[in-house]
Amino acid sequence: MLTLCGFPVSNYYNKVKLALLEKNVPFTEEVVLTKSTDEAVLNASPLGKIPFIRTEHGGLCESQAILDYIEAAWPQPPLLPSDSFAAAKVRELTTFIDWHLEMVARQLYGAAFFGAEPLSEANLARIRKQLETNIAAFKKLAKFSPFVAGDSFSQADCAAFANLPVVGLASKIAFGEDLLLAGGVDYKAYVKLIGDRPSAQKVVADRKASQTKA
């Protein structure tokens, strides 16, 4: 059986977990903290990053590689369109969410969520400019009709549901306004739509339980 390793507060862990739940893949969970130096962890995830999975074939890390493996191994129900170009557009949108929104906003997390030293005004200005530019680009790709990539739930929704609320909250704490909303990306109704799915409710409940324990 597949084992998902990481912890339920991680948005990339939840990106993978949501996909597994949507596809009804049998899996177990193993709590592994990020940047672990345990040799068994490093054999599966050489940088000690989470999430990663353990499979009958060996370990696999990087959330998007994991989602693509899951899609190939358990093709039904599909989280990618059958048309090759449409599937590529879903991957494009997922890349935008992960790398051009979340990874930029991640620079704010230390001060916003974990009590780190506040960023300098220069760094805040740089991050804000980059986020505003990238949000405008994301807005051109996202459809929200009703799902982020179109009329079907896809891999892009696994990334969007896990990441957009965190990006919005971090920017609101850092800048006094949610830059997604300020940029015309009204994602709140979308998050509620996805949040009504049993898979998403499971992800959220487990995340809240983990945060309570912490």
Side-chain angles (χ1 to χ4, degrees), residues 191-213:
V191 168
K192 184 180 184 305
L193 171 75
I194 303 300
D196 288 337
R197 301 172 78 89
S199 57
Q201 290 175 354
K202 170 67 172 169
V203 166
V204 170
D206 288 354
R207 185 192 71 217
K208 289 180 177 178
S210 180
Q211 289 171 321
T212 300
K213 290 179 184 178

PDB file of all heavy atoms in Angstrom, residues 191-213:
ATOM      1  N   VAL A 191     -13.033  28.386  -3.077  1.00  0.00           N
ATOM      2  CA  VAL A 191     -12.533  27.584  -1.964  1.00  0.00           C
ATOM      3  C   VAL A 191     -13.693  26.932  -1.217  1.00  0.00           C
ATOM      4  O   VAL A 191     -13.610  25.773  -0.795  1.00  0.00           O
ATOM      5  CB  VAL A 191     -11.664  28.444  -1.023  1.00  0.00           C
ATOM      6  CG1 VAL A 191     -11.365  27.718   0.279  1.00  0.00           C
ATOM      7  CG2 VAL A 191     -10.364  28.834  -1.715  1.00  0.00           C
ATOM      8  N   LYS A 192     -14.798  27.659  -1.084  1.00  0.00           N
ATOM      9  CA  LYS A 192     -15.984  27.082  -0.437  1.00  0.00           C
ATOM     10  C   LYS A 192     -16.545  25.932  -1.271  1.00  0.00           C
ATOM     11  O   LYS A 192     -16.945  24.887  -0.729  1.00  0.00           O
ATOM     12  CB  LYS A 192     -17.058  28.145  -0.227  1.00  0.00           C
ATOM     13  CG  LYS A 192     -18.273  27.630   0.536  1.00  0.00           C
ATOM     14  CD  LYS A 192     -19.317  28.709   0.734  1.00  0.00           C
ATOM     15  CE  LYS A 192     -20.481  28.198   1.578  1.00  0.00           C
ATOM     16  NZ  LYS A 192     -21.105  26.966   1.037  1.00  0.00           N
ATOM     17  N   LEU A 193     -16.567  26.097  -2.582  1.00  0.00           N
ATOM     18  CA  LEU A 193     -17.056  25.047  -3.479  1.00  0.00           C
ATOM     19  C   LEU A 193     -16.231  23.769  -3.307  1.00  0.00           C
ATOM     20  O   LEU A 193     -16.784  22.672  -3.131  1.00  0.00           O
ATOM     21  CB  LEU A 193     -16.987  25.528  -4.930  1.00  0.00           C
ATOM     22  CG  LEU A 193     -17.266  24.469  -6.000  1.00  0.00           C
ATOM     23  CD1 LEU A 193     -18.758  24.161  -6.072  1.00  0.00           C
ATOM     24  CD2 LEU A 193     -16.749  24.921  -7.362  1.00  0.00           C
ATOM     25  N   ILE A 194     -14.927  23.899  -3.357  1.00  0.00           N
ATOM     26  CA  ILE A 194     -14.058  22.729  -3.195  1.00  0.00           C
ATOM     27  C   ILE A 194     -14.178  22.189  -1.769  1.00  0.00           C
ATOM     28  O   ILE A 194     -14.170  20.976  -1.540  1.00  0.00           O
ATOM     29  CB  ILE A 194     -12.597  23.073  -3.513  1.00  0.00           C
ATOM     30  CG1 ILE A 194     -12.467  23.648  -4.929  1.00  0.00           C
ATOM     31  CG2 ILE A 194     -11.704  21.843  -3.358  1.00  0.00           C
ATOM     32  CD1 ILE A 194     -12.918  22.724  -6.024  1.00  0.00           C
ATOM     33  N   GLY A 195     -14.310  23.096  -0.815  1.00  0.00           N
ATOM     34  CA  GLY A 195     -14.403  22.697   0.586  1.00  0.00           C
ATOM     35  C   GLY A 195     -15.629  21.877   0.915  1.00  0.00           C
ATOM     36  O   GLY A 195     -15.676  21.225   1.965  1.00  0.00           O
ATOM     37  N   ASP A 196     -16.624  21.879   0.050  1.00  0.00           N
ATOM     38  CA  ASP A 196     -17.816  21.066   0.263  1.00  0.00           C
ATOM     39  C   ASP A 196     -17.614  19.608  -0.163  1.00  0.00           C
ATOM     40  O   ASP A 196     -18.454  18.757   0.120  1.00  0.00           O
ATOM     41  CB  ASP A 196     -19.005  21.651  -0.503  1.00  0.00           C
ATOM     42  CG  ASP A 196     -19.533  22.938   0.127  1.00  0.00           C
ATOM     43  OD1 ASP A 196     -19.307  23.141   1.338  1.00  0.00           O
ATOM     44  OD2 ASP A 196     -20.161  23.734  -0.591  1.00  0.00           O
ATOM     45  N   ARG A 197     -16.520  19.321  -0.843  1.00  0.00           N
ATOM     46  CA  ARG A 197     -16.242  17.955  -1.275  1.00  0.00           C
ATOM     47  C   ARG A 197     -15.759  17.130  -0.080  1.00  0.00           C
ATOM     48  O   ARG A 197     -14.973  17.625   0.745  1.00  0.00           O
ATOM     49  CB  ARG A 197     -15.192  17.939  -2.396  1.00  0.00           C
ATOM     50  CG  ARG A 197     -15.612  18.723  -3.626  1.00  0.00           C
ATOM     51  CD  ARG A 197     -14.471  18.852  -4.625  1.00  0.00           C
ATOM     52  NE  ARG A 197     -14.264  17.637  -5.396  1.00  0.00           N
ATOM     53  CZ  ARG A 197     -14.872  17.351  -6.543  1.00  0.00           C
ATOM     54  NH1 ARG A 197     -15.765  18.203  -7.042  1.00  0.00           N
ATOM     55  NH2 ARG A 197     -14.611  16.226  -7.188  1.00  0.00           N
ATOM     56  N   PRO A 198     -16.196  15.883   0.043  1.00  0.00           N
ATOM     57  CA  PRO A 198     -15.767  15.049   1.173  1.00  0.00           C
ATOM     58  C   PRO A 198     -14.249  14.945   1.294  1.00  0.00           C
ATOM     59  O   PRO A 198     -13.715  14.927   2.408  1.00  0.00           O
ATOM     60  CB  PRO A 198     -16.407  13.691   0.872  1.00  0.00           C
ATOM     61  CG  PRO A 198     -17.614  14.025   0.050  1.00  0.00           C
ATOM     62  CD  PRO A 198     -17.220  15.193  -0.793  1.00  0.00           C
ATOM     63  N   SER A 199     -13.562  14.878   0.169  1.00  0.00           N
ATOM     64  CA  SER A 199     -12.096  14.786   0.203  1.00  0.00           C
ATOM     65  C   SER A 199     -11.485  16.022   0.837  1.00  0.00           C
ATOM     66  O   SER A 199     -10.576  15.932   1.685  1.00  0.00           O
ATOM     67  CB  SER A 199     -11.550  14.606  -1.217  1.00  0.00           C
ATOM     68  OG  SER A 199     -11.972  15.683  -2.045  1.00  0.00           O
ATOM     69  N   ALA A 200     -11.973  17.183   0.463  1.00  0.00           N
ATOM     70  CA  ALA A 200     -11.455  18.436   1.016  1.00  0.00           C
ATOM     71  C   ALA A 200     -11.815  18.569   2.490  1.00  0.00           C
ATOM     72  O   ALA A 200     -11.011  19.066   3.287  1.00  0.00           O
ATOM     73  CB  ALA A 200     -11.998  19.626   0.224  1.00  0.00           C
ATOM     74  N   GLN A 201     -13.008  18.123   2.857  1.00  0.00           N
ATOM     75  CA  GLN A 201     -13.403  18.188   4.267  1.00  0.00           C
ATOM     76  C   GLN A 201     -12.492  17.319   5.126  1.00  0.00           C
ATOM     77  O   GLN A 201     -12.134  17.695   6.247  1.00  0.00           O
ATOM     78  CB  GLN A 201     -14.867  17.751   4.406  1.00  0.00           C
ATOM     79  CG  GLN A 201     -15.832  18.755   3.818  1.00  0.00           C
ATOM     80  CD  GLN A 201     -17.276  18.273   3.835  1.00  0.00           C
ATOM     81  OE1 GLN A 201     -17.559  17.125   4.194  1.00  0.00           O
ATOM     82  NE2 GLN A 201     -18.203  19.129   3.429  1.00  0.00           N
ATOM     83  N   LYS A 202     -12.084  16.176   4.598  1.00  0.00           N
ATOM     84  CA  LYS A 202     -11.151  15.296   5.307  1.00  0.00           C
ATOM     85  C   LYS A 202      -9.793  15.971   5.461  1.00  0.00           C
ATOM     86  O   LYS A 202      -9.185  15.947   6.543  1.00  0.00           O
ATOM     87  CB  LYS A 202     -11.020  13.989   4.532  1.00  0.00           C
ATOM     88  CG  LYS A 202      -9.912  13.061   4.986  1.00  0.00           C
ATOM     89  CD  LYS A 202     -10.155  12.493   6.366  1.00  0.00           C
ATOM     90  CE  LYS A 202      -9.118  11.409   6.683  1.00  0.00           C
ATOM     91  NZ  LYS A 202      -9.162  11.028   8.129  1.00  0.00           N
ATOM     92  N   VAL A 203      -9.310  16.588   4.400  1.00  0.00           N
ATOM     93  CA  VAL A 203      -8.018  17.285   4.443  1.00  0.00           C
ATOM     94  C   VAL A 203      -8.051  18.406   5.484  1.00  0.00           C
ATOM     95  O   VAL A 203      -7.128  18.547   6.296  1.00  0.00           O
ATOM     96  CB  VAL A 203      -7.663  17.834   3.044  1.00  0.00           C
ATOM     97  CG1 VAL A 203      -6.517  18.857   3.130  1.00  0.00           C
ATOM     98  CG2 VAL A 203      -7.287  16.700   2.105  1.00  0.00           C
ATOM     99  N   VAL A 204      -9.092  19.201   5.467  1.00  0.00           N
ATOM    100  CA  VAL A 204      -9.201  20.336   6.391  1.00  0.00           C
ATOM    101  C   VAL A 204      -9.321  19.850   7.831  1.00  0.00           C
ATOM    102  O   VAL A 204      -8.683  20.389   8.741  1.00  0.00           O
ATOM    103  CB  VAL A 204     -10.396  21.232   6.006  1.00  0.00           C
ATOM    104  CG1 VAL A 204     -10.658  22.274   7.088  1.00  0.00           C
ATOM    105  CG2 VAL A 204     -10.130  21.920   4.667  1.00  0.00           C
ATOM    106  N   ALA A 205     -10.143  18.836   8.057  1.00  0.00           N
ATOM    107  CA  ALA A 205     -10.320  18.315   9.421  1.00  0.00           C
ATOM    108  C   ALA A 205      -9.009  17.774   9.973  1.00  0.00           C
ATOM    109  O   ALA A 205      -8.661  18.027  11.144  1.00  0.00           O
ATOM    110  CB  ALA A 205     -11.388  17.221   9.424  1.00  0.00           C
ATOM    111  N   ASP A 206      -8.255  17.056   9.156  1.00  0.00           N
ATOM    112  CA  ASP A 206      -6.980  16.504   9.622  1.00  0.00           C
ATOM    113  C   ASP A 206      -5.957  17.603   9.861  1.00  0.00           C
ATOM    114  O   ASP A 206      -5.156  17.521  10.794  1.00  0.00           O
ATOM    115  CB  ASP A 206      -6.448  15.501   8.599  1.00  0.00           C
ATOM    116  CG  ASP A 206      -7.242  14.201   8.566  1.00  0.00           C
ATOM    117  OD1 ASP A 206      -8.135  14.036   9.432  1.00  0.00           O
ATOM    118  OD2 ASP A 206      -6.996  13.374   7.670  1.00  0.00           O
ATOM    119  N   ARG A 207      -5.997  18.634   9.032  1.00  0.00           N
ATOM    120  CA  ARG A 207      -5.080  19.765   9.241  1.00  0.00           C
ATOM    121  C   ARG A 207      -5.393  20.466  10.555  1.00  0.00           C
ATOM    122  O   ARG A 207      -4.488  20.777  11.342  1.00  0.00           O
ATOM    123  CB  ARG A 207      -5.188  20.766   8.086  1.00  0.00           C
ATOM    124  CG  ARG A 207      -4.173  21.907   8.165  1.00  0.00           C
ATOM    125  CD  ARG A 207      -4.509  23.011   7.189  1.00  0.00           C
ATOM    126  NE  ARG A 207      -5.695  23.736   7.603  1.00  0.00           N
ATOM    127  CZ  ARG A 207      -6.624  24.214   6.770  1.00  0.00           C
ATOM    128  NH1 ARG A 207      -6.527  24.017   5.465  1.00  0.00           N
ATOM    129  NH2 ARG A 207      -7.653  24.878   7.248  1.00  0.00           N
ATOM    130  N   LYS A 208      -6.662  20.723  10.815  1.00  0.00           N
ATOM    131  CA  LYS A 208      -7.054  21.395  12.055  1.00  0.00           C
ATOM    132  C   LYS A 208      -6.711  20.545  13.268  1.00  0.00           C
ATOM    133  O   LYS A 208      -6.243  21.081  14.296  1.00  0.00           O
ATOM    134  CB  LYS A 208      -8.541  21.715  12.019  1.00  0.00           C
ATOM    135  CG  LYS A 208      -8.912  22.825  11.038  1.00  0.00           C
ATOM    136  CD  LYS A 208     -10.407  23.103  11.058  1.00  0.00           C
ATOM    137  CE  LYS A 208     -10.764  24.258  10.126  1.00  0.00           C
ATOM    138  NZ  LYS A 208     -12.232  24.513  10.101  1.00  0.00           N
ATOM    139  N   ALA A 209      -6.902  19.244  13.181  1.00  0.00           N
ATOM    140  CA  ALA A 209      -6.563  18.361  14.288  1.00  0.00           C
ATOM    141  C   ALA A 209      -5.068  18.389  14.557  1.00  0.00           C
ATOM    142  O   ALA A 209      -4.636  18.381  15.716  1.00  0.00           O
ATOM    143  CB  ALA A 209      -7.028  16.939  13.987  1.00  0.00           C
ATOM    144  N   SER A 210      -4.278  18.420  13.504  1.00  0.00           N
ATOM    145  CA  SER A 210      -2.828  18.463  13.656  1.00  0.00           C
ATOM    146  C   SER A 210      -2.387  19.776  14.281  1.00  0.00           C
ATOM    147  O   SER A 210      -1.487  19.812  15.136  1.00  0.00           O
ATOM    148  CB  SER A 210      -2.152  18.269  12.304  1.00  0.00           C
ATOM    149  OG  SER A 210      -0.754  18.311  12.399  1.00  0.00           O
ATOM    150  N   GLN A 211      -3.012  20.877  13.872  1.00  0.00           N
ATOM    151  CA  GLN A 211      -2.672  22.173  14.434  1.00  0.00           C
ATOM    152  C   GLN A 211      -3.039  22.262  15.909  1.00  0.00           C
ATOM    153  O   GLN A 211      -2.316  22.863  16.703  1.00  0.00           O
ATOM    154  CB  GLN A 211      -3.378  23.280  13.640  1.00  0.00           C
ATOM    155  CG  GLN A 211      -2.818  23.488  12.260  1.00  0.00           C
ATOM    156  CD  GLN A 211      -3.659  24.422  11.414  1.00  0.00           C
ATOM    157  OE1 GLN A 211      -4.896  24.391  11.461  1.00  0.00           O
ATOM    158  NE2 GLN A 211      -3.013  25.253  10.621  1.00  0.00           N
ATOM    159  N   THR A 212      -4.158  21.624  16.277  1.00  0.00           N
ATOM    160  CA  THR A 212      -4.574  21.610  17.685  1.00  0.00           C
ATOM    161  C   THR A 212      -3.563  20.859  18.557  1.00  0.00           C
ATOM    162  O   THR A 212      -3.220  21.284  19.640  1.00  0.00           O
ATOM    163  CB  THR A 212      -5.958  20.962  17.818  1.00  0.00           C
ATOM    164  OG1 THR A 212      -6.900  21.709  17.053  1.00  0.00           O
ATOM    165  CG2 THR A 212      -6.413  20.947  19.260  1.00  0.00           C
ATOM    166  N   LYS A 213      -3.068  19.728  18.038  1.00  0.00           N
ATOM    167  CA  LYS A 213      -2.066  18.952  18.769  1.00  0.00           C
ATOM    168  C   LYS A 213      -0.788  19.737  18.946  1.00  0.00           C
ATOM    169  O   LYS A 213      -0.126  19.652  19.978  1.00  0.00           O
ATOM    170  CB  LYS A 213      -1.789  17.649  18.014  1.00  0.00           C
ATOM    171  CG  LYS A 213      -2.933  16.655  18.049  1.00  0.00           C
ATOM    172  CD  LYS A 213      -2.575  15.410  17.256  1.00  0.00           C
ATOM    173  CE  LYS A 213      -3.747  14.442  17.197  1.00  0.00           C
ATOM    174  NZ  LYS A 213      -3.433  13.242  16.378  1.00  0.00           N
TER     175      LYS A 213
END
